[in-house]
Amino acid sequence: MGKENDSVPSSAPGFKLLGFSNFVRTNPRSDLFKVKRFHHVEFWCTDATNTACRFSWGLGMPFVAKSDLSTGNVTHASYLLRSGDLSFLFTAPYSPTIASMENFSHTATASIPTFSHEACRNFSAKHGLGVRAIAIEVEDAEIAYNTSVARGALPMGGPITLDNRAVVAEVHLYGDVVLRYISYKNSNPNLNDSSPDSWFLPKFESVDEASSFPLDYGIRRLDHAVGNVPELAPAVSYVKEFTGFHEFAEFTAEDVGTSESGLNSLVLANNEDTVLLPLNEPVFGTKRKSQIQTYLEHNEGAGLQHLALVSEDIFKTLREMRRRSGVGGFDFMPSPPPTYYRNLKNRVGDVLTDEQIKECEELGILVDRDDQGTLLQIFTKPVGDRPTIFIEIIQRVGCMIKDETGKEYQKGGCGGFGKGNFSELFKSIEEYEKTLEAKRNAEAR
C-alpha cells in the first residue's frame, strides 16, 4: 500500500501558478506512452453489494459483470457497473481467515491481480468509501509501467498478464490512490461482445440482464478525476515526470476562493485531452480553513475528491437523479441564487434557449463557457459518511471536429473547466461546511 508522496520530491523548482487569466493553454503532445482513454474507476469499500446497488440506482448504471463467490472468487467481491463507456468497479474483501488459507495453499482466486486483502481493509478503515484506482487504457501496459517507474513513479504492482488477453500494472498516484494501466493483447476489446473478459478483465462473468434493473439516465463516460493533495507543486511535478502529461488549466485562490478561504488547482491532461487529472491544494492564512484541508483531515491524507461524469443530456440525467435523491440516490449541493440565472443569457449568449436556461435554474445546473465551447455542470453532496468524495455531472457543448475518416467527435476538454462554475462550487461547499459547523457549535453550548 503506497505511502503518501513517498516518491514525490519535496519541492518543484520553478513551479509557479499564473492564475486563470494569465494561463495560456498549449499542448506539446508530450505523453511518454500511448494513452487511449479512461478505462474504469475502482472503489474500495466494506460492502460491495450494497454500495454498488446504491450507485446503480443513483446514477442509472446497471450491473454488467461480477467476480464473487458465485464465480469462484473467495478473496474479494467485485461488481462492475457500466453506462456507455463509464465503468465503476466496487470491491470489498471477503473473510481474512479464508483469504489467508487461500494464500497458504497457493490457489489465488482474485480477479484483480494486484488486490491486497490487508491493504483493502486498511484503506476502508482509514478513508471510508473511496477510490482506490483510476484505470486508463494504454496501448501497452508493460511499456507504460516500465517507462513510468524509470521516470520516478513508485511501483505498486505488475505488469501482470491475465489469460494472455490483458495486461495490468499499477503505479502510485497520490495518497493511497493508484494509477492503473490496462492494455489488451492481440486486438482491442470488442465492446459488442457480451463476454466481460473481452472488454473488461478475465475472471469476470456477465450478470444476467434479468437480475439488474435496466437503468439509463444518459451518463456516458468519465470526463475528469480530481485529487486533493497537501502540496500541489511536488504532486504535479511527480505525475508530469512519469506520464509526460501537460498542463491544461489552472486556478488560484484569487480565481475561485472567497474572502474567507481558498484553494489552488492545476489540471494535467494527455495528448488528446481525454484523460484529465486535476489536482487541488489548500491555501492557509485565511479566515476559514480551506475545504481542501477539511477533506484531507477527514480522508486522513491525499485522495480522490470527485469524479466528473459526462451526460449526453444533462437535463434528462438530472431529472432522473433528483427524482431519487430522497429514495436511495444522491443529494445535490445548494443551487446558486436567482440572480445567477438572470445574468446567464449575457454570459453564454445563444448557446442555450430561454427554456433551457429556465430548466437549468429548476435543476440547479451551472453554466459557463470559454473561447471554444460551453460547460454545463452540477455537483452532488458527499456520497459517503465523510465529507470527502462526491460526484459531478457534466455536459460539454461545441468543439465538434472530424477525424481522418470523416467521423465527427467532440474535442477533449471542450469548454474548459469554467472559472465561474468552479467559484460557485467553492462557495457552495463553503456554505455547506458552515451548516455543519453551526450544528456542532450549537450542541457545544
Side-chain angles (χ1 to χ4, degrees):
M1 197 166 184
K3 295 180 181 179
E4 294 187 17
N5 299 319
D6 273 359
S7 63
V8 181
S10 60
S11 63
F15 181 88
K16 182 180 180 181
L17 293 177
L18 300 174
F20 179 81
S21 300
N22 296 322
F23 180 80
V24 178
R25 187 184 302 168
T26 58
N27 185 349
R29 302 189 67 82
S30 51
D31 290 0
L32 299 178
F33 42 85
K34 175 66 175 177
V35 176
K36 294 185 175 182
R37 63 182 180 111
F38 281 117
H39 187 271
H40 71 272
V41 174
E42 183 179 20
F43 295 78
W44 271 2
C45 50
T46 57
D47 185 339
T49 299
N50 286 296
T51 307
C53 283
R54 196 272 181 102
F55 275 75
S56 175
W57 175 248
L59 295 173
M61 299 179 67
F63 283 73
V64 293
K66 64 181 180 179
S67 177
D68 59 9
L69 292 175
S70 70
T71 68
N73 184 348
V74 300
T75 307
H76 61 83
S78 288
Y79 300 104
L80 186 72
L81 308 182
R82 169 167 274 195
S83 182
D85 288 334
L86 176 68
S87 294
F88 277 178
L89 183 67
F90 297 88
T91 296
Y94 280 130
S95 161
T97 303
I98 294 177
S100 62
M101 292 170 57
E102 179 193 35
N103 291 336
F104 181 76
S105 63
H106 304 292
T107 57
T109 61
S111 55
I112 303 296
T114 53
F115 179 80
S116 164
H117 210 278
E118 181 181 9
C120 188
R121 298 197 310 272
N122 291 342
F123 181 98
S124 294
K126 181 180 180 182
H127 305 298
L129 175 65
V131 168
R132 165 59 172 182
I134 301 169
I136 59 176
E137 184 182 350
V138 295
E139 189 170 78
D140 189 313
E142 186 169 1
I143 289 176
Y145 174 84
N146 290 336
T147 301
S148 297
V149 171
R151 297 288 294 253
L154 181 66
M156 298 297 291
I160 301 169
T161 301
L162 304 177
D163 213 11
N164 202 33
R165 302 180 196 178
V167 180
V168 177
E170 292 177 358
V171 296
H172 175 251
L173 187 58
Y174 44 70
D176 289 325
V177 182
V178 300
L179 185 63
R180 178 176 292 162
Y181 299 133
I182 292 182
S183 64
Y184 294 90
K185 299 176 76 68
N186 304 323
S187 62
N188 289 327
N190 180 4
L191 296 180
N192 296 317
D193 190 329
S194 61
S195 175
D197 61 19
S198 70
W199 52 262
F200 190 64
L201 291 175
K203 292 189 178 182
F204 276 80
E205 296 183 9
S206 298
V207 171
D208 183 0
E209 289 185 10
S211 66
S212 179
F213 198 74
L215 302 166
D216 184 1
Y217 307 163
I219 293 173
R220 292 295 173 259
R221 62 179 175 83
L222 178 61
D223 186 88
H224 55 275
V226 184
N228 284 350
V229 297
E231 271 193 279
L232 191 60
V236 168
S237 176
Y238 170 67
V239 178
K240 283 180 66 176
E241 180 65 23
F242 77 78
T243 62
F245 285 7
H246 64 277
E247 297 178 11
F248 180 88
E250 65 176 54
F251 304 89
T252 63
E254 287 72 23
D255 296 318
V256 298
T258 68
S259 60
E260 298 184 62
S261 65
L263 61 77
N264 294 319
S265 182
L266 190 144
V267 183
L268 295 177
N270 68 326
N271 283 353
E272 310 305 326
D273 296 334
T274 52
V275 173
L276 300 167
L277 299 176
L279 293 165
N280 302 326
E281 72 171 357
V283 297
F284 298 95
T286 52
K287 179 180 178 182
R288 288 177 52 80
K289 181 192 301 181
S290 170
Q291 57 196 238
I292 307 305
Q293 184 61 27
T294 298
Y295 170 98
L296 294 172
E297 291 173 358
H298 281 274
N299 192 65
E300 296 287 346
L304 187 132
Q305 182 209 43
H306 78 268
L307 298 163
L309 315 181
V310 173
S311 169
E312 64 181 8
D313 182 347
I314 196 169
F315 302 116
K316 170 190 172 182
T317 300
L318 263 294
R319 284 192 297 268
E320 294 291 344
M321 288 184 67
R322 283 196 177 276
R323 282 177 56 199
R324 293 160 176 82
S325 289
V327 286
F330 299 111
D331 294 316
F332 290 86
M333 298 301 295
S335 301
T339 52
Y340 176 90
Y341 295 98
R342 286 200 291 269
N343 298 328
L344 200 54
K345 195 75 173 179
N346 295 331
R347 295 207 311 275
V348 301
D350 297 326
V351 175
L352 299 177
T353 65
D354 291 341
E355 185 176 315
Q356 287 174 322
I357 290 177
K358 182 180 179 181
E359 196 162 12
C360 283
E361 183 172 8
E362 291 173 353
L363 295 170
I365 297 171
L366 303 171
V367 187
D368 214 331
R369 68 181 301 179
D370 66 5
D371 58 321
Q372 297 182 358
T374 302
L375 180 70
L376 290 80
Q377 60 191 154
I378 190 170
F379 305 85
T380 72
K381 289 181 178 179
V383 299
D385 298 324
R386 308 187 194 192
T388 51
I389 186 172
F390 59 91
I391 298 292
E392 172 185 355
I393 305 298
I394 189 172
Q395 183 174 357
R396 297 184 182 275
V397 181
C399 312
M400 302 306 294
I401 54 181
K402 293 182 179 180
D403 62 16
E404 59 275 6
T405 66
K407 182 180 179 181
E408 193 174 51
Y409 68 99
Q410 188 175 55
K411 181 182 177 184
C414 177
F417 277 77
K419 180 171 78 74
N421 287 2
F422 201 165
S423 181
E424 286 295 329
L425 168 66
F426 190 89
K427 293 175 187 175
S428 187
I429 295 178
E430 187 173 273
E431 290 304 313
Y432 174 68
E433 289 186 352
K434 285 181 180 178
T435 64
L436 301 180
E437 292 170 7
K439 182 68 173 178
R440 291 198 302 270
N441 293 337
E443 292 179 348
R445 291 194 184 101

